[in-house]
Every structure is written in structure tokens, then in C-alpha cells.
Amino acid sequence: MLRRCLPVLVLCTFGGRLAAQEPYHEPSPAIARILDAAPTPLVVVSPDGSKLLLMERAGLPPIAEVAAPEFRLAGDRINPRTNALSRAPAFTALIVQPIGRGETRRLQIPWHARVGNVMWSPDGRQVGFTLVEETGMSLWVGDPLTGEVRLLAGPVLNGAFGNPCHWLPSGSGFLCSKIPPGRAAAPAVPPVPVGPVVQESDARSAPNATYEDLLQNPNDEALFEYYFTDQLVVIPLSGQERMIGAPGIHSDVSVSPDGRFLLVESIHRPYSYLVPYQRFPMRTEVWDLSGAVLKQVADRGLQENLPRSNDAVSAGPRGVRWRGDAPGTLVWVEAQDGGNPATQA
């Protein structure tokens, strides 16, 4: 009887331990100092070469950040609370150090704030940065001489593609991606699928790499459109902000050196369950500052069937960008072999 009862007693004791939740255990102070030691700050030189911006980082992210909700959509991981990339690197302090003579200044960012993206102004006289707050990303600007900072836009920025703001070439303000005004509630995630996911094969050979965090069903498509759709706006240092064009999924936007035009890359349907958003259909256009389309440079289709080679690329214009030595001139490259290295060209 004793041999038959022992397993029962062991199982009962083990079951009791599983039901209890233990708090996190802290290491000894000596080990904690090693684990929490801050990495070497990142350093960025001002455009005029007169100052250094030291960006301090924390050693390890807090449990609250690691445990935050996360959606994995089209190759990216989004925190739905902030509408920004989840677990993105953040800074804890911004310090301006003159090169040569001068007094070191610490920008007066809010206590325990998580600084996201940091940008010197074109003339090196101001520092723009975003703060990752509980409900979104906000835009701030700081004076490197006094350390004073001020808020330009509340936590309404859309950081799904990364940095939501860029300085205008004149230094008079920012071009930003915001959450569309009046956006409705997020699509609900159904507890039970409404039906099967059907994918059709056309019997062609199309080898692809294995990607993580891809779209898997129509609900993922709806979530992708919800969190990645943005409204482009100009946020000046003084005055009222101005919306540009209509909301869309703008994966990349840049201002021409003369500040008169925008180069806009917009993702559109059909989406894919096989590749990340970088291979979705993408339209590249030149806009004016009102949002009117002046020129369509390219409209690339879905890239599910690229040749399986390290040097394979999409056909047509790619790498479109502004020339830095001209007011408003584009430059791009096109593969003469159609993107397939096995083709003679």
C-alpha cells in the first residue's frame, strides 16, 4: 500500500506548488550591478560639427516592457498601445557636450521617459526627439544650449514603420506620420476563425526564404491596415500643423533638399501570407506639399516569385532617392538582367 500511495502524495504536493505564483527573484547586489550596468552611450555629432549628443541607454528593459501586448504583422512586431514597434531601442538621457570649450547640458526630458528617435536639426541648433508613452508616441524639441524642451505633438504619432518624424530641410519643423484623425476602434480578434484560410498554387516553382511574423488570415490583414495606415502632416516649430494628402500606408517618405517636394512610397493590396511588407505591392510617387501627385515613378507588383539568389532583386526602378547635391532631382537603379543574376545582361 505504501508504494501505491507515494505517487499520489507526490502529485498532490507538486500540484499545490504549480497553483501558487512566485514573485520575480532578484540576484545579489553584486550580480545586479553587472546585469543593470548601462551600455556605452551612443554619440552623434551635430551637423555643424560643434557639439556631441550623448544618448544614454538602460542595461535591460523592464518586465512591463517585455510583457507588453504585441501583434506580429507582415514581418514587424507592433505594440497596439503605442502604435509603434515593440521592444524598440530606447534612451534614458540626452546630453549635449560641446567639442572644445563649453558647458555640458542635459536635456530636461520627463523623469523615467523612454526616448525613441533622436534627430539633430539641419543647422545643429536644436534636437528633435520622440517619447514612447503609455498610449503612444509624442514629438518634442530641445535647446542644446539651455537644456529646455517643449512638446510639439502629443502621443498621436504612428511609429509602425519606425521613426515617425523627420526634420524639414529648412529646420522650421517636421514631416511626421500621425494616426489618422477620428480613427475607429481596432478590429476585434475573433476567438474562433470565421472560416478556413485558402491559398491557391498555380503549379509554378517559386522558392522563398522562411520569414517570421507574416500575415496569416483576413483578420491579420485588417490589423495591418489599421495600425500601419497613417496621415502625413507638417508640424512646424510655431504655428498650426498642416495635413498632406489622404491617409495611406506610407512605408517611406522623404523631403527634397529644397523642401518643395515629397518622395512617397505607399503599400497597397494584394497582400501576401508568404513574404513581409517590404515585398508587398508598392507605389512610388512625387507629391507637392499639398499632397497632389506630380509624378508616378514606379508601381511595383507583389514580390513573391523573386529568383532564389542573394543578388536577386525586383525588376524596374528601385532604391529611389533624392540627390543630395541638387534641389529636387531623383536617382534610382534598375537591374539590366531583370533582377535575375542567372540572366545574361
Side-chain angles (χ1 to χ4, degrees):
M1 290 294 293
L2 180 61
R3 294 180 61 185
R4 295 181 61 188
C5 291
L6 277 177
V8 176
L9 293 175
V10 171
L11 286 174
C12 292
T13 304
F14 189 62
R17 294 187 62 184
L18 281 178
Q21 183 174 4
E22 296 185 3
Y24 290 103
H25 295 280
E26 297 289 339
S28 65
I31 296 178
R33 284 194 297 270
I34 297 175
L35 296 177
D36 293 336
T40 302
L42 297 183
V43 180
V44 180
V45 183
S46 64
D48 60 2
S50 65
K51 298 176 284 294
L52 300 177
L53 180 62
L54 283 66
M55 300 178 287
E56 294 185 346
R57 301 171 287 172
L60 294 173
I63 294 297
E65 179 181 345
V66 177
E70 185 179 68
F71 285 149
R72 303 187 177 193
L73 303 169
D76 264 356
R77 301 183 180 186
I78 303 298
N79 183 337
R81 294 176 182 170
T82 62
N83 209 122
L85 296 176
S86 62
R87 307 188 194 182
F91 305 103
T92 57
L94 301 177
I95 303 171
V96 179
Q97 178 177 316
I99 299 177
R101 297 183 178 180
E103 185 178 353
T104 299
R105 289 287 183 185
R106 181 181 292 264
L107 295 187
Q108 301 167 7
I109 61 176
W111 181 249
H112 285 313
R114 294 176 55 219
V115 179
N117 310 101
V118 185
M119 307 151 280
W120 278 109
S121 64
D123 59 8
R125 295 182 179 180
Q126 298 183 86
V127 178
F129 58 94
T130 60
L131 289 186
V132 183
E133 304 184 24
E134 288 296 323
T135 60
M137 296 183 71
S138 55
L139 175 64
W140 298 67
V141 65
D143 187 334
L145 297 181
T146 65
E148 296 180 353
V149 302
R150 61 188 178 97
L151 175 68
L152 290 183
V156 293
L157 302 179
N158 189 324
F161 284 112
N163 186 5
C165 292
H166 303 277
W167 280 98
L168 297 174
S170 62
S172 61
F174 296 84
L175 173 67
C176 293
S177 298
K178 290 183 62 175
I179 295 172
R183 185 174 72 171
V189 180
V192 178
V194 297
V197 175
V198 179
Q199 299 189 55
E200 183 177 337
S201 174
D202 55 9
R204 288 189 302 166
S205 175
N208 257 325
T210 300
Y211 299 99
E212 293 183 318
D213 309 328
L214 300 180
L215 301 180
Q216 299 184 27
N217 50 57
N219 189 72
D220 281 356
E221 295 184 42
L223 290 172
F224 173 75
E225 288 188 333
Y226 181 85
Y227 287 106
F228 284 77
T229 297
D230 68 332
Q231 171 67 59
L232 298 180
V233 296
V234 170
I235 302 178
L237 296 179
S238 60
Q240 296 294 321
E241 66 179 48
R242 183 178 76 256
M243 292 194 297
I244 300 176
I249 305 178
H250 306 121
S251 59
D252 192 29
V253 183
S254 60
V255 189
S256 61
D258 61 4
R260 297 175 56 199
F261 309 105
L262 302 179
L263 180 63
V264 182
E265 291 186 347
S266 304
I267 292 174
H268 60 85
R269 287 180 177 270
Y271 306 140
S272 172
Y273 297 175
L274 302 179
V275 293
Y277 75 81
Q278 290 88 346
R279 292 195 179 187
F280 288 1
M282 185 175 299
R283 188 179 300 112
T284 304
E285 299 170 324
V286 176
W287 295 6
D288 64 16
L289 294 185
S290 71
V293 178
L294 303 179
K295 175 71 174 179
Q296 179 175 294
V297 181
D299 191 359
R300 190 196 69 192
L302 180 61
Q303 302 293 302
E304 284 186 340
N305 299 317
L306 290 182
R308 189 73 175 95
S309 171
N310 291 334
D311 296 327
V313 296
S314 59
R318 60 186 179 88
V320 185
R321 61 180 62 87
W322 295 109
R323 278 183 53 171
D325 59 348
T329 301
L330 293 176
V331 60
W332 65 83
V333 296
E334 294 189 41
Q336 299 302 294
D337 56 11
N340 188 353
T343 301
Q344 293 297 322

PDB file of all heavy atoms in Angstrom, residues 39-58:
ATOM      1  N   PRO A  39      24.987  50.369 -20.938  1.00  0.00           N
ATOM      2  CA  PRO A  39      25.956  50.282 -22.034  1.00  0.00           C
ATOM      3  C   PRO A  39      26.591  51.644 -22.317  1.00  0.00           C
ATOM      4  O   PRO A  39      26.123  52.681 -21.826  1.00  0.00           O
ATOM      5  CB  PRO A  39      25.106  49.822 -23.230  1.00  0.00           C
ATOM      6  CG  PRO A  39      23.815  49.343 -22.651  1.00  0.00           C
ATOM      7  CD  PRO A  39      23.620  50.090 -21.378  1.00  0.00           C
ATOM      8  N   THR A  40      27.645  51.627 -23.107  1.00  0.00           N
ATOM      9  CA  THR A  40      28.279  52.883 -23.509  1.00  0.00           C
ATOM     10  C   THR A  40      27.286  53.734 -24.293  1.00  0.00           C
ATOM     11  O   THR A  40      26.592  53.228 -25.174  1.00  0.00           O
ATOM     12  CB  THR A  40      29.510  52.591 -24.380  1.00  0.00           C
ATOM     13  OG1 THR A  40      30.415  51.769 -23.651  1.00  0.00           O
ATOM     14  CG2 THR A  40      30.211  53.888 -24.784  1.00  0.00           C
ATOM     15  N   PRO A  41      27.154  55.016 -23.983  1.00  0.00           N
ATOM     16  CA  PRO A  41      26.201  55.862 -24.716  1.00  0.00           C
ATOM     17  C   PRO A  41      26.524  55.925 -26.204  1.00  0.00           C
ATOM     18  O   PRO A  41      27.690  55.855 -26.609  1.00  0.00           O
ATOM     19  CB  PRO A  41      26.366  57.239 -24.061  1.00  0.00           C
ATOM     20  CG  PRO A  41      26.988  56.965 -22.728  1.00  0.00           C
ATOM     21  CD  PRO A  41      27.848  55.750 -22.921  1.00  0.00           C
ATOM     22  N   LEU A  42      25.476  56.060 -27.007  1.00  0.00           N
ATOM     23  CA  LEU A  42      25.673  56.336 -28.429  1.00  0.00           C
ATOM     24  C   LEU A  42      25.982  57.822 -28.602  1.00  0.00           C
ATOM     25  O   LEU A  42      25.468  58.664 -27.858  1.00  0.00           O
ATOM     26  CB  LEU A  42      24.420  55.968 -29.219  1.00  0.00           C
ATOM     27  CG  LEU A  42      24.010  54.493 -29.210  1.00  0.00           C
ATOM     28  CD1 LEU A  42      22.788  54.280 -30.096  1.00  0.00           C
ATOM     29  CD2 LEU A  42      25.154  53.612 -29.673  1.00  0.00           C
ATOM     30  N   VAL A  43      26.790  58.145 -29.602  1.00  0.00           N
ATOM     31  CA  VAL A  43      27.237  59.524 -29.801  1.00  0.00           C
ATOM     32  C   VAL A  43      26.939  59.937 -31.239  1.00  0.00           C
ATOM     33  O   VAL A  43      27.245  59.202 -32.180  1.00  0.00           O
ATOM     34  CB  VAL A  43      28.748  59.672 -29.513  1.00  0.00           C
ATOM     35  CG1 VAL A  43      29.180  61.128 -29.721  1.00  0.00           C
ATOM     36  CG2 VAL A  43      29.070  59.223 -28.108  1.00  0.00           C
ATOM     37  N   VAL A  44      26.329  61.118 -31.404  1.00  0.00           N
ATOM     38  CA  VAL A  44      26.037  61.673 -32.722  1.00  0.00           C
ATOM     39  C   VAL A  44      26.584  63.091 -32.761  1.00  0.00           C
ATOM     40  O   VAL A  44      26.306  63.903 -31.866  1.00  0.00           O
ATOM     41  CB  VAL A  44      24.530  61.680 -33.020  1.00  0.00           C
ATOM     42  CG1 VAL A  44      24.265  62.264 -34.409  1.00  0.00           C
ATOM     43  CG2 VAL A  44      23.958  60.274 -32.925  1.00  0.00           C
ATOM     44  N   VAL A  45      27.353  63.401 -33.798  1.00  0.00           N
ATOM     45  CA  VAL A  45      27.924  64.740 -33.967  1.00  0.00           C
ATOM     46  C   VAL A  45      26.890  65.648 -34.614  1.00  0.00           C
ATOM     47  O   VAL A  45      26.157  65.245 -35.524  1.00  0.00           O
ATOM     48  CB  VAL A  45      29.205  64.677 -34.826  1.00  0.00           C
ATOM     49  CG1 VAL A  45      29.849  66.062 -34.932  1.00  0.00           C
ATOM     50  CG2 VAL A  45      30.196  63.684 -34.236  1.00  0.00           C
ATOM     51  N   SER A  46      26.810  66.886 -34.159  1.00  0.00           N
ATOM     52  CA  SER A  46      25.881  67.844 -34.743  1.00  0.00           C
ATOM     53  C   SER A  46      26.291  68.171 -36.172  1.00  0.00           C
ATOM     54  O   SER A  46      27.472  68.070 -36.532  1.00  0.00           O
ATOM     55  CB  SER A  46      25.838  69.122 -33.902  1.00  0.00           C
ATOM     56  OG  SER A  46      27.099  69.768 -33.916  1.00  0.00           O
ATOM     57  N   PRO A  47      25.341  68.560 -37.035  1.00  0.00           N
ATOM     58  CA  PRO A  47      25.681  68.858 -38.435  1.00  0.00           C
ATOM     59  C   PRO A  47      26.745  69.933 -38.600  1.00  0.00           C
ATOM     60  O   PRO A  47      27.503  69.900 -39.573  1.00  0.00           O
ATOM     61  CB  PRO A  47      24.333  69.312 -39.026  1.00  0.00           C
ATOM     62  CG  PRO A  47      23.305  68.631 -38.186  1.00  0.00           C
ATOM     63  CD  PRO A  47      23.888  68.621 -36.805  1.00  0.00           C
ATOM     64  N   ASP A  48      26.818  70.894 -37.666  1.00  0.00           N
ATOM     65  CA  ASP A  48      27.834  71.938 -37.785  1.00  0.00           C
ATOM     66  C   ASP A  48      29.169  71.542 -37.157  1.00  0.00           C
ATOM     67  O   ASP A  48      30.126  72.315 -37.168  1.00  0.00           O
ATOM     68  CB  ASP A  48      27.335  73.249 -37.172  1.00  0.00           C
ATOM     69  CG  ASP A  48      26.995  73.101 -35.688  1.00  0.00           C
ATOM     70  OD1 ASP A  48      27.185  71.993 -35.131  1.00  0.00           O
ATOM     71  OD2 ASP A  48      26.536  74.080 -35.085  1.00  0.00           O
ATOM     72  N   GLY A  49      29.240  70.327 -36.610  1.00  0.00           N
ATOM     73  CA  GLY A  49      30.496  69.821 -36.062  1.00  0.00           C
ATOM     74  C   GLY A  49      30.941  70.470 -34.775  1.00  0.00           C
ATOM     75  O   GLY A  49      32.099  70.322 -34.386  1.00  0.00           O
ATOM     76  N   SER A  50      30.037  71.143 -34.057  1.00  0.00           N
ATOM     77  CA  SER A  50      30.432  71.856 -32.843  1.00  0.00           C
ATOM     78  C   SER A  50      30.056  71.135 -31.560  1.00  0.00           C
ATOM     79  O   SER A  50      30.547  71.497 -30.494  1.00  0.00           O
ATOM     80  CB  SER A  50      29.793  73.257 -32.834  1.00  0.00           C
ATOM     81  OG  SER A  50      28.372  73.155 -32.753  1.00  0.00           O
ATOM     82  N   LYS A  51      29.173  70.140 -31.640  1.00  0.00           N
ATOM     83  CA  LYS A  51      28.662  69.511 -30.431  1.00  0.00           C
ATOM     84  C   LYS A  51      28.524  67.998 -30.622  1.00  0.00           C
ATOM     85  O   LYS A  51      28.366  67.518 -31.742  1.00  0.00           O
ATOM     86  CB  LYS A  51      27.293  70.109 -30.051  1.00  0.00           C
ATOM     87  CG  LYS A  51      27.321  71.586 -29.731  1.00  0.00           C
ATOM     88  CD  LYS A  51      25.947  72.126 -29.456  1.00  0.00           C
ATOM     89  CE  LYS A  51      25.138  72.315 -30.733  1.00  0.00           C
ATOM     90  NZ  LYS A  51      25.660  73.340 -31.627  1.00  0.00           N
ATOM     91  N   LEU A  52      28.563  67.296 -29.490  1.00  0.00           N
ATOM     92  CA  LEU A  52      28.277  65.872 -29.448  1.00  0.00           C
ATOM     93  C   LEU A  52      26.972  65.653 -28.694  1.00  0.00           C
ATOM     94  O   LEU A  52      26.730  66.311 -27.674  1.00  0.00           O
ATOM     95  CB  LEU A  52      29.400  65.092 -28.760  1.00  0.00           C
ATOM     96  CG  LEU A  52      30.798  65.170 -29.357  1.00  0.00           C
ATOM     97  CD1 LEU A  52      31.777  64.381 -28.484  1.00  0.00           C
ATOM     98  CD2 LEU A  52      30.812  64.630 -30.765  1.00  0.00           C
ATOM     99  N   LEU A  53      26.160  64.742 -29.178  1.00  0.00           N
ATOM    100  CA  LEU A  53      24.943  64.354 -28.474  1.00  0.00           C
ATOM    101  C   LEU A  53      25.145  62.947 -27.950  1.00  0.00           C
ATOM    102  O   LEU A  53      25.288  61.991 -28.721  1.00  0.00           O
ATOM    103  CB  LEU A  53      23.731  64.420 -29.401  1.00  0.00           C
ATOM    104  CG  LEU A  53      22.390  64.029 -28.771  1.00  0.00           C
ATOM    105  CD1 LEU A  53      22.037  64.988 -27.639  1.00  0.00           C
ATOM    106  CD2 LEU A  53      21.282  64.006 -29.814  1.00  0.00           C
ATOM    107  N   LEU A  54      25.186  62.806 -26.626  1.00  0.00           N
ATOM    108  CA  LEU A  54      25.369  61.512 -25.975  1.00  0.00           C
ATOM    109  C   LEU A  54      23.995  60.976 -25.574  1.00  0.00           C
ATOM    110  O   LEU A  54      23.247  61.651 -24.854  1.00  0.00           O
ATOM    111  CB  LEU A  54      26.259  61.639 -24.742  1.00  0.00           C
ATOM    112  CG  LEU A  54      27.772  61.764 -24.968  1.00  0.00           C
ATOM    113  CD1 LEU A  54      28.124  63.068 -25.663  1.00  0.00           C
ATOM    114  CD2 LEU A  54      28.525  61.656 -23.654  1.00  0.00           C
ATOM    115  N   MET A  55      23.676  59.788 -26.032  1.00  0.00           N
ATOM    116  CA  MET A  55      22.378  59.178 -25.767  1.00  0.00           C
ATOM    117  C   MET A  55      22.584  57.962 -24.868  1.00  0.00           C
ATOM    118  O   MET A  55      23.094  56.928 -25.297  1.00  0.00           O
ATOM    119  CB  MET A  55      21.704  58.786 -27.084  1.00  0.00           C
ATOM    120  CG  MET A  55      21.481  59.978 -28.004  1.00  0.00           C
ATOM    121  SD  MET A  55      20.720  59.540 -29.598  1.00  0.00           S
ATOM    122  CE  MET A  55      22.111  58.729 -30.396  1.00  0.00           C
ATOM    123  N   GLU A  56      22.197  58.100 -23.608  1.00  0.00           N
ATOM    124  CA  GLU A  56      22.386  57.026 -22.635  1.00  0.00           C
ATOM    125  C   GLU A  56      21.273  55.989 -22.764  1.00  0.00           C
ATOM    126  O   GLU A  56      20.122  56.321 -23.055  1.00  0.00           O
ATOM    127  CB  GLU A  56      22.426  57.594 -21.219  1.00  0.00           C
ATOM    128  CG  GLU A  56      23.638  58.493 -20.960  1.00  0.00           C
ATOM    129  CD  GLU A  56      23.704  58.944 -19.515  1.00  0.00           C
ATOM    130  OE1 GLU A  56      22.694  58.798 -18.788  1.00  0.00           O
ATOM    131  OE2 GLU A  56      24.776  59.450 -19.111  1.00  0.00           O
ATOM    132  N   ARG A  57      21.641  54.724 -22.504  1.00  0.00           N
ATOM    133  CA  ARG A  57      20.704  53.607 -22.630  1.00  0.00           C
ATOM    134  C   ARG A  57      20.661  52.812 -21.334  1.00  0.00           C
ATOM    135  O   ARG A  57      21.618  52.796 -20.576  1.00  0.00           O
ATOM    136  CB  ARG A  57      21.140  52.672 -23.771  1.00  0.00           C
ATOM    137  CG  ARG A  57      21.220  53.332 -25.135  1.00  0.00           C
ATOM    138  CD  ARG A  57      21.863  52.406 -26.145  1.00  0.00           C
ATOM    139  NE  ARG A  57      23.299  52.271 -25.925  1.00  0.00           N
ATOM    140  CZ  ARG A  57      24.082  51.398 -26.569  1.00  0.00           C
ATOM    141  NH1 ARG A  57      23.535  50.562 -27.444  1.00  0.00           N
ATOM    142  NH2 ARG A  57      25.364  51.353 -26.328  1.00  0.00           N
ATOM    143  N   ALA A  58      19.536  52.144 -21.117  1.00  0.00           N
ATOM    144  CA  ALA A  58      19.411  51.270 -19.950  1.00  0.00           C
ATOM    145  C   ALA A  58      20.049  49.925 -20.249  1.00  0.00           C
ATOM    146  O   ALA A  58      20.179  49.516 -21.411  1.00  0.00           O
ATOM    147  CB  ALA A  58      17.944  51.090 -19.571  1.00  0.00           C
TER     148      ALA A  58
END
